[in-house]
Amino acid sequence: MRVTGVEHRFVDQVPDDLEPGILYVSLPFRTTVHLCACGCGNQTWVRLRPERHHLIYDGETITLKGSIGNWRFPCRSHYWIRNGRIVWADGEVTPSWWQRTVSWLRRLFKH
Ligand SMILES: [Zn+2]
């Protein structure tokens, strides 16, 4: 079952047993880890890097800048974490220009 949001937990060390629906944030290791939001149970590590993922903590909720793409997992989940909520890439998100271009090309070559 897909989770609709994550609660954050600031930790020094990431625990061995991860709870679903929790985003563990380890500032000393500059990484976050959570169980894939689709519910498949795979550990999703999102490392914080200036050119990739940014963490925004507004005092209540966490936003991760940069999408999370679990291409390695069978579920191939793709989503964002915004203000503690999971926003699915196949959901109400407006497609990016390249996604629109790809679907346009697909339509073009079907005929
Ligand atoms: Zn998954």
Side-chain angles (χ1 to χ4, degrees):
M1 254 232 323
R2 286 179 168 190
V3 300
T4 53
V6 286
E7 281 176 41
H8 59 276
R9 200 165 286 172
F10 288 110
V11 291
D12 286 341
Q13 299 262 347
V14 172
D16 291 333
D17 289 321
L18 303 180
E19 284 176 48
I22 305 284
L23 177 77
Y24 297 87
V25 180
S26 170
L27 294 182
F29 290 98
R30 285 183 281 181
T31 192
T32 72
V33 61
H34 64 282
L35 295 179
C36 178
C38 87
C40 67
N42 280 304
Q43 290 188 7
T44 306
W45 291 79
V46 178
R47 290 181 175 77
L48 304 173
R49 290 200 203 106
E51 74 280 12
R52 294 204 55 197
H53 290 97
H54 298 197
L55 182 91
I56 298 168
Y57 176 51
D58 66 5
E60 282 183 9
T61 59
I62 295 270
T63 296
L64 272 180
K65 283 253 185 181
S67 73
I68 297 161
N70 288 330
W71 318 123
R72 296 183 296 116
F73 301 157
C75 65
R76 303 176 75 81
S77 291
H78 187 205
Y79 51 88
W80 287 262
I81 297 177
R82 288 198 192 130
N83 295 107
R85 302 190 57 79
I86 304 290
V87 180
W88 291 92
D90 58 8
E92 58 273 50
V93 184
T94 335
S96 61
W97 66 266
W98 61 264
Q99 282 169 320
R100 285 200 301 271
T101 309
V102 165
S103 56
W104 177 78
L105 283 171
R106 278 218 191 100
R107 279 202 301 276
L108 194 72
F109 285 105
K110 253 186 201 164
H111 301 293

